PDB file of all heavy atoms in Angstrom:
ATOM      1  N   TYR A   1     103.379 111.689  74.309  1.00 89.00           N
ATOM      2  CA  TYR A   1     102.581 112.516  75.221  1.00 89.00           C
ATOM      3  C   TYR A   1     101.140 112.005  75.297  1.00 89.00           C
ATOM      4  O   TYR A   1     100.524 111.997  76.359  1.00 89.00           O
ATOM      5  CB  TYR A   1     102.588 113.968  74.720  1.00 89.00           C
ATOM      6  CG  TYR A   1     103.898 114.698  74.921  1.00 89.00           C
ATOM      7  CD1 TYR A   1     104.271 115.717  74.077  1.00 89.00           C
ATOM      8  CD2 TYR A   1     104.760 114.333  75.947  1.00 89.00           C
ATOM      9  CE1 TYR A   1     105.477 116.378  74.276  1.00 89.00           C
ATOM     10  CE2 TYR A   1     105.970 114.968  76.140  1.00 89.00           C
ATOM     11  CZ  TYR A   1     106.313 116.012  75.292  1.00 89.00           C
ATOM     12  OH  TYR A   1     107.501 116.641  75.466  1.00 89.00           O
ATOM     13  N   ALA A   2     100.603 111.575  74.150  1.00 92.00           N
ATOM     14  CA  ALA A   2      99.247 111.043  74.152  1.00 92.00           C
ATOM     15  C   ALA A   2      99.151 109.756  74.997  1.00 92.00           C
ATOM     16  O   ALA A   2      98.204 109.574  75.764  1.00 92.00           O
ATOM     17  CB  ALA A   2      98.797 110.737  72.717  1.00 92.00           C
ATOM     18  N   MET A   3     100.166 108.928  74.907  1.00 91.00           N
ATOM     19  CA  MET A   3     100.176 107.683  75.699  1.00 91.00           C
ATOM     20  C   MET A   3     100.354 107.972  77.180  1.00 91.00           C
ATOM     21  O   MET A   3      99.742 107.334  78.045  1.00 91.00           O
ATOM     22  CB  MET A   3     101.307 106.773  75.211  1.00 91.00           C
ATOM     23  CG  MET A   3     101.118 106.270  73.774  1.00 91.00           C
ATOM     24  SD  MET A   3      99.522 105.456  73.535  1.00 91.00           S
ATOM     25  CE  MET A   3      99.618 104.084  74.670  1.00 91.00           C
ATOM     26  N   LEU A   4     101.171 108.978  77.514  1.00 88.00           N
ATOM     27  CA  LEU A   4     101.329 109.368  78.917  1.00 88.00           C
ATOM     28  C   LEU A   4     100.024 109.909  79.475  1.00 88.00           C
ATOM     29  O   LEU A   4      99.659 109.629  80.622  1.00 88.00           O
ATOM     30  CB  LEU A   4     102.441 110.418  79.046  1.00 88.00           C
ATOM     31  CG  LEU A   4     103.882 109.934  78.838  1.00 88.00           C
ATOM     32  CD1 LEU A   4     104.835 111.128  78.878  1.00 88.00           C
ATOM     33  CD2 LEU A   4     104.262 108.935  79.930  1.00 88.00           C
ATOM     34  N   GLY A   5      99.309 110.707  78.658  1.00 90.00           N
ATOM     35  CA  GLY A   5      97.995 111.206  79.083  1.00 90.00           C
ATOM     36  C   GLY A   5      97.025 110.080  79.346  1.00 90.00           C
ATOM     37  O   GLY A   5      96.297 110.082  80.346  1.00 90.00           O
ATOM     38  N   ALA A   6      97.026 109.081  78.465  1.00 90.00           N
ATOM     39  CA  ALA A   6      96.170 107.930  78.696  1.00 90.00           C
ATOM     40  C   ALA A   6      96.549 107.189  79.946  1.00 90.00           C
ATOM     41  O   ALA A   6      95.672 106.743  80.720  1.00 90.00           O
ATOM     42  CB  ALA A   6      96.257 106.976  77.479  1.00 90.00           C
ATOM     43  N   GLY A   7      97.847 107.095  80.212  1.00 88.00           N
ATOM     44  CA  GLY A   7      98.305 106.445  81.449  1.00 88.00           C
ATOM     45  C   GLY A   7      97.839 107.163  82.697  1.00 88.00           C
ATOM     46  O   GLY A   7      97.463 106.523  83.698  1.00 88.00           O
ATOM     47  N   VAL A   8      97.841 108.498  82.653  1.00 87.00           N
ATOM     48  CA  VAL A   8      97.383 109.262  83.821  1.00 87.00           C
ATOM     49  C   VAL A   8      95.898 109.011  84.057  1.00 87.00           C
ATOM     50  O   VAL A   8      95.485 108.798  85.203  1.00 87.00           O
ATOM     51  CB  VAL A   8      97.626 110.774  83.573  1.00 87.00           C
ATOM     52  CG1 VAL A   8      96.941 111.618  84.629  1.00 87.00           C
ATOM     53  CG2 VAL A   8      99.139 111.059  83.552  1.00 87.00           C
ATOM     54  N   PHE A   9      95.097 109.003  83.003  1.00 87.00           N
ATOM     55  CA  PHE A   9      93.658 108.753  83.164  1.00 87.00           C
ATOM     56  C   PHE A   9      93.382 107.323  83.650  1.00 87.00           C
ATOM     57  O   PHE A   9      92.415 107.063  84.366  1.00 87.00           O
ATOM     58  CB  PHE A   9      92.910 109.049  81.875  1.00 87.00           C
ATOM     59  CG  PHE A   9      92.685 110.504  81.646  1.00 87.00           C
ATOM     60  CD1 PHE A   9      93.474 111.230  80.758  1.00 87.00           C
ATOM     61  CD2 PHE A   9      91.664 111.196  82.327  1.00 87.00           C
ATOM     62  CE1 PHE A   9      93.270 112.570  80.574  1.00 87.00           C
ATOM     63  CE2 PHE A   9      91.457 112.542  82.128  1.00 87.00           C
ATOM     64  CZ  PHE A   9      92.266 113.246  81.241  1.00 87.00           C
ATOM     65  N   ILE A  10      94.219 106.398  83.246  1.00 86.00           N
ATOM     66  CA  ILE A  10      94.097 105.017  83.750  1.00 86.00           C
ATOM     67  C   ILE A  10      94.366 104.946  85.247  1.00 86.00           C
ATOM     68  O   ILE A  10      93.641 104.325  86.016  1.00 86.00           O
ATOM     69  CB  ILE A  10      95.012 104.073  82.966  1.00 86.00           C
ATOM     70  CG1 ILE A  10      94.529 103.899  81.547  1.00 86.00           C
ATOM     71  CG2 ILE A  10      95.094 102.713  83.657  1.00 86.00           C
ATOM     72  CD1 ILE A  10      95.477 103.134  80.658  1.00 86.00           C
ATOM     73  N   LEU A  11      95.391 105.663  85.678  1.00 82.00           N
ATOM     74  CA  LEU A  11      95.754 105.682  87.086  1.00 82.00           C
ATOM     75  C   LEU A  11      94.673 106.352  87.953  1.00 82.00           C
ATOM     76  O   LEU A  11      94.471 105.977  89.114  1.00 82.00           O
ATOM     77  CB  LEU A  11      97.100 106.401  87.302  1.00 82.00           C
ATOM     78  CG  LEU A  11      98.333 105.647  86.771  1.00 82.00           C
ATOM     79  CD1 LEU A  11      99.582 106.518  86.925  1.00 82.00           C
ATOM     80  CD2 LEU A  11      98.521 104.339  87.534  1.00 82.00           C
ATOM     81  N   LEU A  12      94.004 107.349  87.376  1.00 82.00           N
ATOM     82  CA  LEU A  12      92.970 108.019  88.143  1.00 82.00           C
ATOM     83  C   LEU A  12      91.812 107.070  88.507  1.00 82.00           C
ATOM     84  O   LEU A  12      91.172 107.235  89.549  1.00 82.00           O
ATOM     85  CB  LEU A  12      92.403 109.195  87.350  1.00 82.00           C
ATOM     86  CG  LEU A  12      93.358 110.397  87.175  1.00 82.00           C
ATOM     87  CD1 LEU A  12      92.716 111.442  86.274  1.00 82.00           C
ATOM     88  CD2 LEU A  12      93.694 111.009  88.552  1.00 82.00           C
ATOM     89  N   ASP A  13      91.556 106.096  87.678  1.00 78.00           N
ATOM     90  CA  ASP A  13      90.471 105.149  87.945  1.00 78.00           C
ATOM     91  C   ASP A  13      90.980 103.845  88.583  1.00 78.00           C
ATOM     92  O   ASP A  13      90.184 102.929  88.863  1.00 78.00           O
ATOM     93  CB  ASP A  13      89.765 104.770  86.630  1.00 78.00           C
ATOM     94  CG  ASP A  13      88.990 105.958  86.089  1.00 78.00           C
ATOM     95  OD1 ASP A  13      88.636 106.857  86.878  1.00 78.00           O
ATOM     96  OD2 ASP A  13      88.765 105.987  84.840  1.00 78.00           O
ATOM     97  N   ALA A  14      92.275 103.755  88.828  1.00 76.00           N
ATOM     98  CA  ALA A  14      92.815 102.555  89.438  1.00 76.00           C
ATOM     99  C   ALA A  14      92.494 102.525  90.936  1.00 76.00           C
ATOM    100  O   ALA A  14      92.327 103.577  91.566  1.00 76.00           O
ATOM    101  CB  ALA A  14      94.348 102.529  89.245  1.00 76.00           C
ATOM    102  N   PRO A  15      92.360 101.323  91.526  1.00 76.00           N
ATOM    103  CA  PRO A  15      92.072 101.227  92.951  1.00 76.00           C
ATOM    104  C   PRO A  15      93.208 101.810  93.765  1.00 76.00           C
ATOM    105  O   PRO A  15      94.368 101.756  93.379  1.00 76.00           O
ATOM    106  CB  PRO A  15      91.918  99.727  93.181  1.00 76.00           C
ATOM    107  CG  PRO A  15      92.633  99.076  92.050  1.00 76.00           C
ATOM    108  CD  PRO A  15      92.502  99.983  90.886  1.00 76.00           C
ATOM    109  N   SER A  16      92.857 102.401  94.908  1.00 75.00           N
ATOM    110  CA  SER A  16      93.870 103.030  95.753  1.00 75.00           C
ATOM    111  C   SER A  16      94.779 101.968  96.399  1.00 75.00           C
ATOM    112  O   SER A  16      94.362 100.830  96.645  1.00 75.00           O
ATOM    113  CB  SER A  16      93.177 103.838  96.839  1.00 75.00           C
ATOM    114  OG  SER A  16      92.349 103.004  97.614  1.00 75.00           O
ATOM    115  N   LEU A  17      96.019 102.331  96.620  1.00 73.00           N
ATOM    116  CA  LEU A  17      96.979 101.444  97.258  1.00 73.00           C
ATOM    117  C   LEU A  17      96.816 101.511  98.768  1.00 73.00           C
ATOM    118  O   LEU A  17      96.232 102.448  99.317  1.00 73.00           O
ATOM    119  CB  LEU A  17      98.406 101.848  96.865  1.00 73.00           C
ATOM    120  CG  LEU A  17      98.751 101.785  95.376  1.00 73.00           C
ATOM    121  CD1 LEU A  17     100.149 102.372  95.148  1.00 73.00           C
ATOM    122  CD2 LEU A  17      98.685 100.343  94.862  1.00 73.00           C
ATOM    123  N   ASN A  18      97.336 100.507  99.424  1.00 79.00           N
ATOM    124  CA  ASN A  18      97.341 100.521 100.878  1.00 79.00           C
ATOM    125  C   ASN A  18      98.219 101.635 101.387  1.00 79.00           C
ATOM    126  O   ASN A  18      99.260 101.955 100.811  1.00 79.00           O
ATOM    127  CB  ASN A  18      97.840  99.176 101.436  1.00 79.00           C
ATOM    128  CG  ASN A  18      96.895  98.035 101.079  1.00 79.00           C
ATOM    129  OD1 ASN A  18      95.684  98.250 100.975  1.00 79.00           O
ATOM    130  ND2 ASN A  18      97.435  96.846 100.906  1.00 79.00           N
ATOM    131  N   ARG A  19      97.806 102.261 102.444  1.00 80.00           N
ATOM    132  CA  ARG A  19      98.560 103.390 103.000  1.00 80.00           C
ATOM    133  C   ARG A  19      99.878 102.933 103.570  1.00 80.00           C
ATOM    134  O   ARG A  19      99.943 101.928 104.290  1.00 80.00           O
ATOM    135  CB  ARG A  19      97.711 104.081 104.069  1.00 80.00           C
ATOM    136  CG  ARG A  19      98.390 105.291 104.663  1.00 80.00           C
ATOM    137  CD  ARG A  19      97.475 106.017 105.598  1.00 80.00           C
ATOM    138  NE  ARG A  19      98.130 107.166 106.184  1.00 80.00           N
ATOM    139  CZ  ARG A  19      97.523 108.046 107.006  1.00 80.00           C
ATOM    140  NH1 ARG A  19      96.236 107.856 107.298  1.00 80.00           N
ATOM    141  NH2 ARG A  19      98.180 109.084 107.494  1.00 80.00           N
ATOM    142  N   LEU A  20     100.940 103.700 103.214  1.00 79.00           N
ATOM    143  CA  LEU A  20     102.252 103.389 103.740  1.00 79.00           C
ATOM    144  C   LEU A  20     102.635 104.414 104.786  1.00 79.00           C
ATOM    145  O   LEU A  20     102.355 105.600 104.642  1.00 79.00           O
ATOM    146  CB  LEU A  20     103.292 103.421 102.590  1.00 79.00           C
ATOM    147  CG  LEU A  20     103.079 102.400 101.447  1.00 79.00           C
ATOM    148  CD1 LEU A  20     104.123 102.607 100.369  1.00 79.00           C
ATOM    149  CD2 LEU A  20     103.110 100.977 101.968  1.00 79.00           C
ATOM    150  N   GLU A  21     103.310 103.968 105.816  1.00 84.00           N
ATOM    151  CA  GLU A  21     103.727 104.843 106.898  1.00 84.00           C
ATOM    152  C   GLU A  21     105.162 104.578 107.263  1.00 84.00           C
ATOM    153  O   GLU A  21     105.694 103.488 107.000  1.00 84.00           O
ATOM    154  CB  GLU A  21     102.827 104.650 108.129  1.00 84.00           C
ATOM    155  CG  GLU A  21     101.373 105.009 107.900  1.00 84.00           C
ATOM    156  CD  GLU A  21     100.522 104.797 109.141  1.00 84.00           C
ATOM    157  OE1 GLU A  21     101.056 104.235 110.116  1.00 84.00           O
ATOM    158  OE2 GLU A  21      99.339 105.194 109.112  1.00 84.00           O
ATOM    159  N   GLY A  22     105.785 105.608 107.842  1.00 86.00           N
ATOM    160  CA  GLY A  22     107.143 105.449 108.368  1.00 86.00           C
ATOM    161  C   GLY A  22     108.143 105.168 107.264  1.00 86.00           C
ATOM    162  O   GLY A  22     108.140 105.794 106.202  1.00 86.00           O
ATOM    163  N   ILE A  23     109.032 104.210 107.562  1.00 90.00           N
ATOM    164  CA  ILE A  23     110.119 103.908 106.646  1.00 90.00           C
ATOM    165  C   ILE A  23     109.614 103.386 105.325  1.00 90.00           C
ATOM    166  O   ILE A  23     110.186 103.602 104.275  1.00 90.00           O
ATOM    167  CB  ILE A  23     111.083 102.898 107.312  1.00 90.00           C
ATOM    168  CG1 ILE A  23     112.351 102.753 106.462  1.00 90.00           C
ATOM    169  CG2 ILE A  23     110.402 101.563 107.480  1.00 90.00           C
ATOM    170  CD1 ILE A  23     113.188 104.002 106.393  1.00 90.00           C
ATOM    171  N   LYS A  24     108.463 102.686 105.353  1.00 86.00           N
ATOM    172  CA  LYS A  24     107.886 102.152 104.132  1.00 86.00           C
ATOM    173  C   LYS A  24     107.455 103.284 103.180  1.00 86.00           C
ATOM    174  O   LYS A  24     107.607 103.215 101.972  1.00 86.00           O
ATOM    175  CB  LYS A  24     106.708 101.260 104.431  1.00 86.00           C
ATOM    176  CG  LYS A  24     107.078  99.936 105.103  1.00 86.00           C
ATOM    177  CD  LYS A  24     105.839  99.085 105.307  1.00 86.00           C
ATOM    178  CE  LYS A  24     106.193  97.747 105.965  1.00 86.00           C
ATOM    179  NZ  LYS A  24     105.024  96.905 106.169  1.00 86.00           N
ATOM    180  N   ALA A  25     106.914 104.364 103.760  1.00 86.00           N
ATOM    181  CA  ALA A  25     106.492 105.498 102.968  1.00 86.00           C
ATOM    182  C   ALA A  25     107.699 106.164 102.276  1.00 86.00           C
ATOM    183  O   ALA A  25     107.640 106.558 101.111  1.00 86.00           O
ATOM    184  CB  ALA A  25     105.744 106.500 103.819  1.00 86.00           C
ATOM    185  N   ILE A  26     108.799 106.280 103.063  1.00 90.00           N
ATOM    186  CA  ILE A  26     110.023 106.899 102.500  1.00 90.00           C
ATOM    187  C   ILE A  26     110.590 106.028 101.360  1.00 90.00           C
ATOM    188  O   ILE A  26     110.941 106.536 100.308  1.00 90.00           O
ATOM    189  CB  ILE A  26     111.076 107.097 103.610  1.00 90.00           C
ATOM    190  CG1 ILE A  26     110.539 108.103 104.665  1.00 90.00           C
ATOM    191  CG2 ILE A  26     112.393 107.573 103.005  1.00 90.00           C
ATOM    192  CD1 ILE A  26     111.446 108.259 105.839  1.00 90.00           C
ATOM    193  N   ILE A  27     110.635 104.721 101.609  1.00 91.00           N
ATOM    194  CA  ILE A  27     111.161 103.815 100.586  1.00 91.00           C
ATOM    195  C   ILE A  27     110.276 103.866  99.347  1.00 91.00           C
ATOM    196  O   ILE A  27     110.744 103.907  98.198  1.00 91.00           O
ATOM    197  CB  ILE A  27     111.260 102.384 101.141  1.00 91.00           C
ATOM    198  CG1 ILE A  27     112.318 102.328 102.252  1.00 91.00           C
ATOM    199  CG2 ILE A  27     111.591 101.398 100.040  1.00 91.00           C
ATOM    200  CD1 ILE A  27     112.371 100.993 102.982  1.00 91.00           C
ATOM    201  N   GLY A  28     108.933 103.883  99.555  1.00 85.00           N
ATOM    202  CA  GLY A  28     108.015 103.934  98.449  1.00 85.00           C
ATOM    203  C   GLY A  28     108.173 105.187  97.630  1.00 85.00           C
ATOM    204  O   GLY A  28     108.135 105.161  96.385  1.00 85.00           O
ATOM    205  N   LEU A  29     108.385 106.333  98.313  1.00 86.00           N
ATOM    206  CA  LEU A  29     108.559 107.611  97.618  1.00 86.00           C
ATOM    207  C   LEU A  29     109.847 107.602  96.810  1.00 86.00           C
ATOM    208  O   LEU A  29     109.887 108.055  95.652  1.00 86.00           O
ATOM    209  CB  LEU A  29     108.581 108.743  98.658  1.00 86.00           C
ATOM    210  CG  LEU A  29     108.694 110.174  98.073  1.00 86.00           C
ATOM    211  CD1 LEU A  29     107.485 110.489  97.211  1.00 86.00           C
ATOM    212  CD2 LEU A  29     108.825 111.184  99.208  1.00 86.00           C
ATOM    213  N   VAL A  30     110.929 107.072  97.421  1.00 91.00           N
ATOM    214  CA  VAL A  30     112.226 107.014  96.694  1.00 91.00           C
ATOM    215  C   VAL A  30     112.086 106.119  95.469  1.00 91.00           C
ATOM    216  O   VAL A  30     112.565 106.442  94.381  1.00 91.00           O
ATOM    217  CB  VAL A  30     113.319 106.506  97.641  1.00 91.00           C
ATOM    218  CG1 VAL A  30     114.601 106.226  96.861  1.00 91.00           C
ATOM    219  CG2 VAL A  30     113.594 107.540  98.756  1.00 91.00           C
ATOM    220  N   LEU A  31     111.451 104.958  95.660  1.00 91.00           N
ATOM    221  CA  LEU A  31     111.276 104.051  94.527  1.00 91.00           C
ATOM    222  C   LEU A  31     110.444 104.667  93.411  1.00 91.00           C
ATOM    223  O   LEU A  31     110.717 104.502  92.218  1.00 91.00           O
ATOM    224  CB  LEU A  31     110.637 102.745  95.015  1.00 91.00           C
ATOM    225  CG  LEU A  31     111.490 101.821  95.857  1.00 91.00           C
ATOM    226  CD1 LEU A  31     110.684 100.630  96.344  1.00 91.00           C
ATOM    227  CD2 LEU A  31     112.711 101.350  95.066  1.00 91.00           C
ATOM    228  N   PHE A  32     109.420 105.440  93.825  1.00 85.00           N
ATOM    229  CA  PHE A  32     108.571 106.095  92.825  1.00 85.00           C
ATOM    230  C   PHE A  32     109.382 107.058  91.971  1.00 85.00           C
ATOM    231  O   PHE A  32     109.288 107.064  90.742  1.00 85.00           O
ATOM    232  CB  PHE A  32     107.435 106.844  93.550  1.00 85.00           C
ATOM    233  CG  PHE A  32     106.623 107.689  92.623  1.00 85.00           C
ATOM    234  CD1 PHE A  32     105.675 107.100  91.779  1.00 85.00           C
ATOM    235  CD2 PHE A  32     106.784 109.077  92.596  1.00 85.00           C
ATOM    236  CE1 PHE A  32     104.910 107.905  90.930  1.00 85.00           C
ATOM    237  CE2 PHE A  32     106.017 109.856  91.743  1.00 85.00           C
ATOM    238  CZ  PHE A  32     105.075 109.277  90.895  1.00 85.00           C
ATOM    239  N   TYR A  33     110.197 107.898  92.631  1.00 89.00           N
ATOM    240  CA  TYR A  33     111.008 108.847  91.887  1.00 89.00           C
ATOM    241  C   TYR A  33     112.087 108.152  91.051  1.00 89.00           C
ATOM    242  O   TYR A  33     112.429 108.608  89.969  1.00 89.00           O
ATOM    243  CB  TYR A  33     111.643 109.867  92.837  1.00 89.00           C
ATOM    244  CG  TYR A  33     110.700 110.974  93.187  1.00 89.00           C
ATOM    245  CD1 TYR A  33     110.129 111.059  94.470  1.00 89.00           C
ATOM    246  CD2 TYR A  33     110.356 111.973  92.275  1.00 89.00           C
ATOM    247  CE1 TYR A  33     109.252 112.096  94.807  1.00 89.00           C
ATOM    248  CE2 TYR A  33     109.477 113.007  92.604  1.00 89.00           C
ATOM    249  CZ  TYR A  33     108.930 113.049  93.859  1.00 89.00           C
ATOM    250  OH  TYR A  33     108.078 114.064  94.181  1.00 89.00           O
ATOM    251  N   LEU A  34     112.625 107.046  91.573  1.00 92.00           N
ATOM    252  CA  LEU A  34     113.620 106.300  90.782  1.00 92.00           C
ATOM    253  C   LEU A  34     113.004 105.730  89.507  1.00 92.00           C
ATOM    254  O   LEU A  34     113.571 105.802  88.420  1.00 92.00           O
ATOM    255  CB  LEU A  34     114.228 105.181  91.609  1.00 92.00           C
ATOM    256  CG  LEU A  34     115.204 105.621  92.723  1.00 92.00           C
ATOM    257  CD1 LEU A  34     115.642 104.410  93.534  1.00 92.00           C
ATOM    258  CD2 LEU A  34     116.428 106.314  92.110  1.00 92.00           C
ATOM    259  N   VAL A  35     111.826 105.144  89.664  1.00 89.00           N
ATOM    260  CA  VAL A  35     111.127 104.590  88.495  1.00 89.00           C
ATOM    261  C   VAL A  35     110.766 105.691  87.514  1.00 89.00           C
ATOM    262  O   VAL A  35     110.988 105.570  86.297  1.00 89.00           O
ATOM    263  CB  VAL A  35     109.882 103.806  88.942  1.00 89.00           C
ATOM    264  CG1 VAL A  35     109.056 103.402  87.702  1.00 89.00           C
ATOM    265  CG2 VAL A  35     110.263 102.583  89.735  1.00 89.00           C
ATOM    266  N   LEU A  36     110.206 106.779  88.051  1.00 83.00           N
ATOM    267  CA  LEU A  36     109.811 107.901  87.183  1.00 83.00           C
ATOM    268  C   LEU A  36     111.010 108.490  86.434  1.00 83.00           C
ATOM    269  O   LEU A  36     110.952 108.747  85.226  1.00 83.00           O
ATOM    270  CB  LEU A  36     109.112 108.976  87.994  1.00 83.00           C
ATOM    271  CG  LEU A  36     108.462 110.129  87.242  1.00 83.00           C
ATOM    272  CD1 LEU A  36     107.329 109.588  86.357  1.00 83.00           C
ATOM    273  CD2 LEU A  36     107.931 111.184  88.187  1.00 83.00           C
ATOM    274  N   SER A  37     112.102 108.681  87.170  1.00 88.00           N
ATOM    275  CA  SER A  37     113.311 109.243  86.542  1.00 88.00           C
ATOM    276  C   SER A  37     113.873 108.271  85.531  1.00 88.00           C
ATOM    277  O   SER A  37     114.358 108.699  84.456  1.00 88.00           O
ATOM    278  CB  SER A  37     114.375 109.545  87.622  1.00 88.00           C
ATOM    279  OG  SER A  37     113.893 110.490  88.542  1.00 88.00           O
ATOM    280  N   GLY A  38     113.868 106.990  85.856  1.00 86.00           N
ATOM    281  CA  GLY A  38     114.387 106.003  84.919  1.00 86.00           C
ATOM    282  C   GLY A  38     113.598 105.978  83.607  1.00 86.00           C
ATOM    283  O   GLY A  38     114.167 105.920  82.527  1.00 86.00           O
TER     284      GLY A  38
END
């Protein structure tokens, strides 16, 4: 849990990603949940 908290704070300061639209946004969202669930 401590390491996950550190990861969250690291992501908060990370540079923003390029905006995804359309099918790319859907694919990105699915991949995000797959990685998170995995």
Side-chain angles (χ1 to χ4, degrees):
Y1 288 152
M3 295 306 299
L4 288 175
V8 170
F9 281 101
I10 290 172
L11 289 175
L12 290 176
D13 292 336
S16 59
L17 298 174
N18 295 329
R19 182 173 179 176
L20 299 177
E21 297 180 352
I23 190 65
K24 291 183 179 180
I26 296 175
I27 294 173
L29 183 62
V30 171
L31 288 176
F32 173 76
Y33 278 107
L34 287 176
V35 172
L36 188 64
S37 299

